[in-house]
Amino acid sequence: DTMTEPLHEIITGRPRPRHLRFASALAELLPGTKIERRDLSLLARLQINAVCRLTGIRQAAMPDSGPPVLLHQALTSARRPYATEFDVPLGVHGYSYQAYLKHGNAARVLLEAQHLRSIFVFSEWARRSFALHFGDEVGAKCRVSYPLAAPQARFGGSIRRFDFTFISNNFRIKCGPELVRAFEAVRASGAPDARMCVVTDLDEARRLLGELRRFEGIEWRAADLDQAAIADLLRESHCLVHPTLAESFGVVVLEALAAGCAVITSAMASLPELVTEAN
């Protein structure tokens, strides 16, 4: 049934492409429902961050009465029906493990509250994680909604310039140094013409590896590519390499699959739900 009141969708953090895709998909899933989406101002976002530092929980203030709300990355104590969206349980605490240890019980009270109807998460792994962190009652509220790949992501042609591609702003966390050393070993072991494109924070890469131009076969690009440029790069790549020490989902893996890339990734977090092991 369609809702008689508009649904307010509020992004409480810095808007990311996945939020825009979520909003578009939500509108398609609820035809006839008026959805009013609002991105909080920088000042309002700073206020939420300040509240999180003080209380250990990302909370948004709002009136008790009003239409239903979908909050991205925040909870509320307002007595009105709402749903929320988090990537991982620590997102409730601004990604601070110490805040979780100190304020986890207070967060559980907010998460168990009757007026919080649903918690949207990105994967079955995230749903299980919420149950482990906050209990089965909270886990039962979780609804898995996989992120969408960028609309530009699509299968590539027959010409693929790169054997491997790495895309992440977090060069250290995503095991960039280990990847570069592994690529050097590949070239030395009988594939001297192998080519790889690395898209990352070049300053961090230089800090960890030194002069980047000395690595033969690697094309380095700054991590400022837009969605269309990333889609073009993946269509030119045979394989996305996505090793990682920490992950909330890994949308770039979805985009690589849409482009017809093979994927080499860590068997952790939500990634086993996206990639099956080749025989």
Side-chain angles (χ1 to χ4, degrees):
D1 296 333
T2 59
M3 298 170 58
T4 57
E5 293 184 282
L7 173 66
H8 286 187
E9 183 180 10
I10 302 174
I11 297 177
T12 68
R14 179 168 60 87
R16 299 177 182 274
R18 64 178 171 84
H19 292 129
L20 304 180
R21 299 171 201 162
F22 187 102
S24 297
L26 183 66
E28 293 180 7
L29 286 172
L30 299 174
T33 299
K34 184 178 181 181
I35 301 174
E36 297 179 0
R37 182 177 140 249
R38 179 162 60 95
D39 301 346
L40 293 186
S41 66
L42 176 59
L43 177 60
R45 299 203 307 267
L46 290 174
Q47 289 173 336
I48 287 180
N49 289 340
V51 169
C52 185
R53 284 180 176 273
L54 289 172
T55 68
I57 302 171
R58 282 189 60 85
Q59 299 182 67
M62 59 180 61
D64 284 333
S65 61
V69 175
L70 171 58
L71 283 175
H72 290 273
Q73 294 289 106
L75 301 174
T76 184
S77 58
R79 311 299 295 183
R80 63 196 289 185
Y82 82 104
T84 188
E85 174 263 318
F86 284 103
D87 49 357
V88 292
L90 283 185
V92 174
H93 301 283
Y95 304 99
S96 169
Y97 182 62
Q98 293 303 316
Y100 163 71
L101 293 178
K102 188 174 181 180
H103 303 286
N105 288 333
R108 181 183 291 110
V109 171
L110 290 173
L111 289 162
E112 291 179 348
Q114 186 272 336
H115 52 281
L116 174 55
R117 305 299 173 82
S118 296
I119 305 165
F120 289 101
V121 296
F122 289 167
S123 63
E124 289 294 336
W125 168 76
R127 180 188 61 77
R128 294 193 303 270
S129 296
F130 264 89
L132 288 171
H133 280 77
F134 298 114
D136 291 338
E137 183 176 343
V138 174
K141 290 187 178 184
C142 291
R143 304 290 182 266
V144 177
S145 176
Y146 287 101
L148 300 173
Q152 298 92 339
R154 58 186 183 277
F155 189 78
S158 58
I159 300 176
R160 300 203 177 221
R161 297 194 299 125
F162 299 107
D163 299 288
F164 306 101
T165 288
F166 171 92
I167 304 174
S168 177
N169 191 50
N170 299 304
F171 192 67
R172 172 65 276 178
I173 292 176
K174 303 299 182 182
C175 299
E178 291 80 6
L179 171 62
V180 170
R181 288 194 284 271
F183 180 73
E184 287 188 300
V186 167
R187 285 176 63 92
S189 65
D193 296 326
R195 288 180 54 77
M196 180 166 69
C197 183
V198 175
V199 180
T200 193
D201 181 336
L202 298 182
D203 290 335
E204 182 184 14
R206 290 190 190 97
R207 188 165 58 251
L208 294 169
L209 297 176
E211 176 54 55
L212 301 180
R213 288 178 295 182
R214 67 187 177 91
F215 296 103
E216 296 183 1
I218 299 181
E219 180 177 316
W220 298 88
R221 301 185 187 180
D224 56 3
L225 304 183
D226 60 19
Q227 295 181 76
I230 290 174
D232 289 341
L233 174 58
L234 290 171
R235 284 196 294 272
E236 295 179 326
S237 305
H238 285 287
C239 178
L240 174 76
V241 188
H242 190 71
T244 179
L245 299 173
E247 190 64 74
S248 62
F249 185 81
V251 175
V252 70
V253 172
L254 282 181
E255 295 171 342
L257 295 173
C261 296
V263 175
I264 300 173
T265 189
S266 306
M268 66 173 297
S270 60
L271 297 171
E273 297 177 40
L274 307 179
V275 180
T276 56
E277 187 173 352
N279 297 322

